[in-house]
DNA sequence: GGATTGGTTAGTCATACGACTAACTATGAG
DNA sequence: CTCATAGTTAGTCGTATGACTAACCAATCC
């Protein structure tokens, strides 16, 4: 549970940076090497590498070194888990709103009945 | 677009802290005051307030001061938007996997045809 | 085998973050 | 009016983060 919480810390933390989100977007299209990922950014290579490490530590991507290039790819399951946390909170909230709405309709119905009877 | 990116920075950043996620979870059940939110944590009030400010700045919650208590509630739309970003990346990735799978089946079918014909 | 390419490590630096205490404000209750 | 309550502001402190440069390794290529 605490471990699960830590995974979310890392995942959300990883996604809080625009460069890293751009990397994720790139990887959602297709796997890529560190160099390819670095190209669109005016950024030193070690900086990108650091971002990739952060994403990897979060589990959102995985990497494998083949020869001298390191290929990176998205881990959809991890993205899904993160998404699920948000979906759950929203579901709880929205269920609550539904119940409230139902309750309000109920009250209104009662009131109308009263109007008729008094 | 840059503004949208900044909103995601704030939302994901806000959610990267376990205390703030706990606050969001609490608020998904029902709105609450700052004091109520602070209670479960062994944390000084100003610290919680700071977390609440971060959540508010991200748009994930909204607050309103009534008398001397400040009520906080979840903004489901903002949660939804954040969730959508993740859903989109995953959808793109999974569509790609589907295409690849289809392509592989295609190749296999071709190969079988070849086997029969040669 | 020597140069080139792609990545990696180490070390630095400025800024941001999360927590705290102490002191202050403003509302509501008796 | 006075006091307790709920929140707020200001200021401090240690650690984490994101960026950089310089130097280093290890596969390829010619």
């Amino acid at each position: 549970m605490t471990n699960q919480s830590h995974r979310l810390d890392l995942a959300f933390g990883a996604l809080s940076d625009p460069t890293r989100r751009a990397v994720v977007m790139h990887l959602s299209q297709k796997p890529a090497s560190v160099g390819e990922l670095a190209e669109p950014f005016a950024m030193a290579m070690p900086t990108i590498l650091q971002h990739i490490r952060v994403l990897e530590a979060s589990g959102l991507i995985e990497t494998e070194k083949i020869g001298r290039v390191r290929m990176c790819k998205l881990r959809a399951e991890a993205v899904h888990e993160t998404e699920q946390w948000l979906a759950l909170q929203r579901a709880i909230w929205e269920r609550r709103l539904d119940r409230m709405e139902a309750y309000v309709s109920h009250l209104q119905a009662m009131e109308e009945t009263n109007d008729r009877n008094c």
Side-chain angles (χ1 to χ4, degrees), chain A:
Chain A
M1 206 51 156
T2 302
N3 202 10
Q4 170 67 4
S5 175
H6 188 235
R7 300 238 316 264
L8 287 170
D9 286 7
L10 295 177
F12 283 123
L15 293 168
S16 72
D17 180 278
T19 303
R20 286 192 294 258
R21 279 201 310 283
V23 167
V24 167
M25 286 171 76
H26 190 124
L27 291 179
S28 76
Q29 307 281 345
K30 64 173 190 297
S33 68
V34 174
E36 282 166 355
L37 292 172
E39 216 184 316
F41 304 101
M43 224 174 246
M45 183 87 89
T47 308
I48 294 288
L49 186 58
Q50 195 170 291
H51 283 307
I52 287 173
R53 297 282 192 216
V54 170
L55 284 166
E56 195 176 11
S58 78
L60 289 168
I61 71 168
E62 62 188 323
T63 79
E64 186 194 4
K65 191 152 183 181
I66 302 165
R68 66 182 168 181
V69 313
R70 176 176 295 278
M71 288 305 285
C72 310
K73 71 167 194 266
L74 200 64
R75 283 194 60 238
E77 325 88 88
V79 174
H80 192 232
E81 273 176 37
T82 311
E83 197 184 326
Q84 289 292 63
W85 188 88
L86 290 167
L88 178 59
Q89 307 315 316
R90 193 165 57 87
I92 294 170
W93 176 252
E94 283 173 356
R95 210 189 52 192
R96 193 189 111 89
L97 287 191
D98 286 351
R99 275 205 309 271
M100 260 179 52
E101 201 175 300
Y103 182 60
V104 169
S105 321
H106 174 68
L107 283 188
Q108 284 172 344
M110 294 293 279
E111 204 167 300
E112 277 165 31
T113 312
N114 279 356
D115 287 353
R116 270 196 296 281
N117 294 352
C118 312

